[in-house]
Amino acid sequence: MRIDKTKKDFAFFLLFIFSFLLLWEWLRPLKELTDTGHLSVFLGFVFIALMMYFFNMPILPSAIIKIIIILYSVHFMYYDGTFFSLEWFGQLVNEVIANSSIIMNAEWTEISNAFRTLLFFILLWLMAYLIQYWLINRKQIFVFFFMTLVYITVLDTFSPYEADLAIVRTVIAGFAVMGMLAYYRIADKEVVNKNLRSAKKWMVPLIAMIVLSVGVGYAAPKADPIWPDPVPFITSYNQDSGDGSGGVKKVGYGTDDSALGGPFIGDDRVVFTAEADGRHYWRIETKDVYTGKGWVADTGTAMPVDFLPEQAIPLQPFEAGVKTEQRTSRVTPKIGYPHLVYPLGVTQVEASAGLATLQFSLDPTTEKIMSSTDGQENSFGPYSLTFDHPIYSVEKLKAAGPEELVSDEAFVSKYTQVPEGLPERVVKLAEEITKGKKTWLEKAQAIEKYFRSNDFVYDQTNVAVPDDNEDYVDQFLFETQRGYCDNFSTSMVVMMRSVGIPARWVKGYTEGEYIDTLENGRRLYEVTNNNAHSWVEGYFPGVGWVPFEPTQGFTNNVQFEYDNKEDSQNQTGQEEEEDTAPAAPVKPDLPEEQAPVDKQKVSFSDGLKNAGVILQNNFQKIFLTLIVLAVFAAIMYKLRGRWLPIMYILLYKYTKQNKYMEKAYIVLLKQLGRYGIKRENGQTLRDYAYYVDSFFSTNEMRWLTEKYEEYLYRGNQDENMWQDAKKYWEFMIRKVSA
């Protein structure tokens, strides 16, 4: 009977479509859980690659087309100018060479986004090839289906990704593919014509089974889980346990500061690198409402202010008469946060997102600057910042006072806010510290200096969390006197406000670790999660916002200008340190409220860190060893037609039981196929045996086939059947190993 090629092609087309849907489930969570963008581009590439395999496009043309698609996509995402320009292609080649060196040195965090994208395309290319191999050659896809289910269920359990519909889609697509492949395997084995009539007999029950299974699974009542959801459990570990000890958190930038306190562990993951003229702190946002437990932002009525790259940033932290020096810094993000890090006094940002439209949005309340591409919040590549570095006049700061803010009651009320339940002894302590100080500057510096006393201890581990009826600042000032930057900075803001000085809480990063001096004379700094930090800014009329640093062991490099010699000798503020040597390592700070870490995992992470150090120190040796092993494996695989027969002979030569007859015969058939003598579809074993013997001018294959068929149809009646047939089998195995 003639095979219906149209129906066969359509069935195979459905196989590829369902397999594409399975692979799609691997990419769906990336948009929600990572900063990966342009998923439609990656999906389009996978679909085109699968269609090339479906239409049996020759290897060379299909490879050329895929390479062109990859290069065009990378150009679209990361480079300016026309695609046919050799300038951007040269930049890409240089980037590939540079990142190859980075990989050789095991500096994984330094890999550029463009090179990561290139590697991701190669991975998708490999996945598309494996799918077509499983479909066409193996006709088995259960392993990939099972891995997909495990992947999405793990994400559903341990991440915010909701995989309910994903599981349903995966089950439908996976069962459909496995059912259709089972039909083709059976049809090939039984030599059945794969026409529409025979396909219907299989596909209709298959569809019914899938619909019934999914319907019952969806509609059936669900039992309550035996174990609690691990995500809330892990999150709850970040909350106060009731004993004031709190949970262990991971250092880094977080958005929720409403419940401060508790210990944390370090994290040396690089957030960004910066080229700068000197040291300065990196701001992200400010908070203005202290609740007694932490900080929240006043929602207010202020609307976000949008601006484009190279436009003036609508921030005015200083008054017009403040002396400033214009400086620039260049930031290269390593973690894809959709916000800027910037120094105080930033005036302009220069950046590009390729063909995408890049825009910024400033929240006037928190002064947080978000970035978006094509209307969606997203991260982007390196950017340059222009800012005015302030040189504060001590005379103007001393002259600043409350009388200049009488007309701005709303401003004063906002930045001198303290909760109604603030313990009275906090206010009395602030008044006692500032007693006898005439100016706001002297009062602020007195409070700042108070935290430098020996009574306070910088600690990241033994840090308490206030009970429900306790105030966070009160607990730190009068009970523990032990904590990190959140404790010091929050306490100073509250104490400044208690004596009438407008102040706000600022969070971001310290200057980071000095790495090297560049050819242009600028310094390269590396900022990690360990550099996350919070500090204080006080407002002085006629001057603007002035940073203060109460945390022990930290210096914010604020520069003051003294108008006479006496002021200079009697200064109580902090002068800017000379930036002529690498910065001393700073203490990690600011626990990330979004990333709780179980205490029991600390030792495990230390073990991973040690393993990472060993890997980095011996990376070149390990890499060369893997290359040698890979080359050896490739050579052995290429020459398997020569050494596999020898192994089979050793494996079956000394066996005596007839049960090895079938296994040995099948091995011979596979070896003949590798040799180039393939059995045609529908060809009987006897016809194939005559063909093999005519090829080699022998009779052994026919004699062996007769023994094999006798074993299949008569069973184990002759105990010496395999012993008699073994010589024919060994003769043929040696023939195809030449």
Side-chain angles (χ1 to χ4, degrees):
M1 182 179 295
R2 182 177 64 86
I3 298 177
D4 191 334
K5 293 294 291 182
T6 302
K7 298 300 180 183
K8 179 182 178 182
D9 289 346
F10 179 72
F12 267 96
F13 178 76
L14 288 179
L15 279 175
F16 277 85
I17 292 298
F18 282 122
S19 301
F20 168 74
L21 295 178
L22 283 178
L23 185 55
W24 193 350
E25 297 301 335
W26 287 78
L27 299 179
R28 287 179 187 271
L30 298 182
K31 186 174 183 179
E32 181 175 340
L33 302 180
T34 71
D35 61 338
T36 304
H38 304 286
L39 286 183
S40 58
V41 176
F42 297 118
L43 284 172
F45 173 77
V46 172
F47 183 79
I48 293 173
L50 288 176
M51 289 300 99
M52 289 180 180
Y53 291 123
F54 171 72
F55 289 109
N56 296 322
M57 182 175 289
I59 296 177
L60 183 59
S62 64
I64 293 175
I65 294 175
K66 292 171 190 172
I67 292 173
I68 292 175
I69 294 175
I70 292 174
L71 292 177
Y72 183 83
S73 301
V74 172
H75 171 269
F76 167 74
M77 296 178 191
Y78 298 103
Y79 294 94
D80 298 324
T82 63
F83 174 69
F84 298 100
S85 171
L86 294 179
E87 181 179 355
W88 82 268
F89 186 74
Q91 295 175 0
L92 178 61
V93 172
N94 293 333
E95 193 161 356
V96 170
I97 295 174
N99 281 272
S100 300
S101 176
I102 290 173
I103 292 177
M104 290 292 292
N105 294 325
E107 298 173 350
W108 312 114
T109 58
E110 299 297 322
I111 300 176
S112 67
N113 289 333
F115 190 70
R116 292 176 194 269
T117 302
L118 197 63
L119 295 179
F120 191 50
F121 271 115
I122 295 174
L123 175 63
L124 294 177
W125 188 343
L126 177 61
M127 291 298 297
Y129 168 77
L130 289 176
I131 286 177
Q132 69 85 26
Y133 174 78
W134 287 326
L135 292 179
I136 297 176
N137 295 68
R138 303 289 297 177
K139 291 187 173 60
Q140 293 178 346
I141 204 169
F142 174 77
V143 173
F144 182 66
F145 168 60
F146 179 74
M147 290 169 58
T148 306
L149 276 179
V150 172
Y151 168 72
I152 60 177
T153 51
V154 168
L155 289 183
D156 180 71
T157 304
F158 295 101
S159 77
Y161 181 64
E162 296 290 340
D164 295 350
L165 292 178
I167 293 175
V168 174
R169 292 192 300 264
T170 302
V171 169
I172 293 175
F175 280 8
V177 174
M178 289 192 299
M180 296 170 69
L181 289 176
Y183 163 73
Y184 281 108
R185 289 198 305 270
I186 294 174
D188 290 340
K189 184 176 180 180
E190 301 298 332
V191 197
V192 176
N193 288 334
K194 294 182 280 294
N195 53 26
L196 180 61
R197 183 177 179 182
S198 64
K200 280 184 177 180
K201 294 180 180 180
W202 183 270
M203 298 304 170
V204 172
L206 174 64
I207 295 173
M209 185 274 293
I210 294 175
V211 173
L212 180 63
S213 300
V214 174
V216 171
Y218 184 81
K222 312 296 188 299
D224 293 332
I226 301 176
W227 296 283
D229 188 350
V231 174
F233 171 76
I234 297 174
T235 304
S236 67
Y237 213 91
N238 192 37
Q239 307 301 324
D240 182 20
S241 61
D243 59 1
S245 61
V248 177
K249 290 162 282 191
K250 191 176 182 181
V251 67
Y253 170 74
T255 58
D256 185 3
D257 305 298
S258 59
L260 300 178
F264 65 88
I265 61 174
D267 180 10
D268 57 2
R269 184 171 51 156
V270 178
V271 181
F272 62 93
T273 59
E275 299 176 17
D277 297 324
R279 301 174 187 167
H280 57 73
Y281 278 8
W282 298 93
R283 305 170 88 251
I284 295 179
E285 61 181 331
T286 69
K287 298 288 178 69
D288 51 15
V289 178
Y290 174 64
T291 64
K293 302 296 182 184
W295 291 96
V296 296
D298 181 12
T299 54
T301 58
M303 298 297 294
V305 180
D306 296 332
F307 62 95
L308 297 175
E310 301 185 13
Q311 288 184 342
I313 298 178
L315 282 174
Q316 294 179 337
F318 318 122
E319 298 293 339
V322 175
K323 182 180 178 181
T324 60
E325 295 177 352
Q326 190 177 78
R327 298 183 181 180
T328 59
S329 294
R330 181 169 178 80
V331 176
T332 303
K334 301 299 180 180
I335 297 179
Y337 287 131
H339 59 247
L340 295 186
V341 293
Y342 60 92
L344 181 67
V346 66
T347 58
Q348 190 179 71
V349 56
E350 297 180 12
S352 174
L355 296 180
T357 301
L358 178 62
Q359 189 176 17
F360 300 104
S361 178
L362 168 68
D363 185 338
T365 302
T366 64
E367 298 190 354
K368 189 173 186 178
I369 302 176
M370 303 297 294
S371 59
S372 62
T373 53
D374 293 335
Q376 295 184 346
E377 287 188 359
N378 204 350
S379 60
F380 60 99
Y383 53 92
S384 297
L385 298 163
T386 303
F387 63 99
D388 294 328
H389 177 72
I391 303 174
Y392 295 105
S393 168
V394 174
E395 286 297 317
K396 288 185 177 180
L397 288 173
K398 286 184 175 181
E403 60 277 358
E404 299 178 65
L405 288 176
V406 172
S407 60
D408 198 347
E409 295 182 1
F411 180 88
V412 174
S413 175
K414 178 178 180 179
Y415 290 108
T416 57
Q417 171 272 337
V418 292
E420 294 182 1
L422 181 70
E424 185 65 25
R425 60 180 180 175
V426 174
V427 180
K428 290 183 178 180
L429 177 62
E431 292 174 346
E432 181 181 343
I433 294 171
T434 58
K435 185 178 180 179
K437 307 299 181 183
K438 298 180 180 179
T439 67
W440 274 5
L441 176 62
E442 291 173 337
K443 291 181 179 181
Q445 290 177 335
I447 296 174
E448 182 183 42
K449 186 178 180 180
Y450 175 75
F451 291 102
R452 306 283 179 173
S453 69
N454 294 329
D455 294 335
F456 290 91
V457 178
Y458 183 92
D459 191 359
Q460 308 162 14
T461 306
N462 187 21
V463 183
V465 175
D467 292 332
D468 293 339
N469 59 346
E470 280 187 306
D471 182 88
Y472 176 71
V473 169
D474 181 80
Q475 182 193 57
F476 175 66
L477 291 175
F478 297 100
E479 295 181 17
T480 65
Q481 294 186 326
R482 179 181 295 269
Y484 40 83
C485 67
D486 287 351
N487 302 89
F488 287 90
S489 58
T490 300
S491 297
M492 182 173 178
V493 172
V494 171
M495 293 174 75
M496 288 178 66
R497 290 182 174 189
S498 298
V499 294
I501 304 175
R504 62 186 181 184
W505 189 69
V506 189
K507 58 187 298 189
Y509 299 92
T510 63
E511 64 270 24
E513 181 180 358
Y514 170 86
I515 300 299
D516 194 10
T517 300
L518 305 178
E519 294 181 358
N520 56 10
R522 306 177 77 181
R523 291 166 173 78
L524 178 65
Y525 295 90
E526 185 177 77
V527 181
T528 69
N529 276 327
N530 286 332
N531 298 116
H533 191 57
S534 62
W535 61 97
V536 180
E537 286 181 358
Y539 186 81
F540 294 80
V543 179
W545 291 101
V546 180
F548 293 91
E549 179 54 272
T551 306
Q552 292 189 9
F554 290 80
T555 302
N556 61 5
N557 301 309
V558 176
Q559 188 172 353
F560 294 99
E561 185 176 62
Y562 299 90
D563 299 318
N564 56 65
K565 185 176 181 180
E566 182 180 354
D567 283 338
S568 178
Q569 291 175 345
N570 297 325
Q571 59 168 305
T572 57
Q574 295 176 331
E575 293 184 350
E576 181 181 30
E577 295 182 353
E578 196 68 30
D579 194 9
T580 58
V586 297
K587 303 168 184 175
D589 233 323
L590 192 58
E592 180 181 11
E593 312 299 337
Q594 305 299 316
V597 177
D598 195 323
K599 290 180 180 178
Q600 297 178 353
K601 294 184 179 179
V602 174
S603 60
F604 178 71
S605 64
D606 290 340
L608 289 180
K609 186 179 292 185
N610 293 335
V613 172
I614 295 174
L615 177 62
Q616 183 170 355
N617 293 338
N618 301 277
F619 180 78
Q620 291 186 354
K621 295 181 180 179
I622 296 174
F623 185 76
L624 291 175
T625 302
L626 291 177
I627 290 178
V628 172
L629 291 176
V631 172
F632 176 78
I635 294 174
M636 294 300 291
Y637 180 80
K638 188 71 174 178
L639 301 177
R640 67 190 186 283
R642 297 187 179 181
W643 56 266
L644 270 179
I646 299 174
M647 287 189 57
Y648 291 142
I649 291 173
L650 294 175
L651 181 64
Y652 293 107
K653 184 178 181 66
Y654 301 102
T655 58
K656 297 180 179 180
Q657 298 178 9
N658 289 340
K659 65 179 182 180
Y660 294 104
M661 167 81 78
E662 183 177 2
K663 296 180 180 179
Y665 189 85
I666 293 175
V667 165
L668 176 59
L669 293 180
K670 291 181 179 179
Q671 187 62 25
L672 285 167
R674 280 191 288 266
Y675 190 81
I677 308 174
K678 295 184 179 181
R679 181 187 174 197
E680 299 293 334
N681 291 333
Q683 189 176 23
T684 66
L685 288 177
R686 291 197 176 189
D687 290 339
Y688 180 62
Y690 274 97
Y691 172 71
V692 172
D693 281 338
S694 64
F695 184 88
F696 289 110
S697 300
T698 60
N699 295 317
E700 278 74 5
M701 189 63 185
R702 280 175 288 175
W703 293 341
L704 178 61
T705 302
E706 289 176 3
K707 290 291 184 181
Y708 174 71
E709 290 180 340
E710 183 179 351
Y711 170 77
L712 289 180
Y713 298 112
R714 293 186 181 181
N716 200 22
Q717 296 181 3
D718 185 358
E719 296 181 355
N720 298 321
M721 186 178 297
W722 171 233
Q723 290 286 78
D724 296 336
K726 192 188 302 181
K727 57 184 179 181
Y728 305 128
W729 175 84
E730 185 174 346
F731 177 84
M732 293 306 304
I733 279 286
R734 292 186 182 279
K735 272 286 185 183
V736 294
S737 64

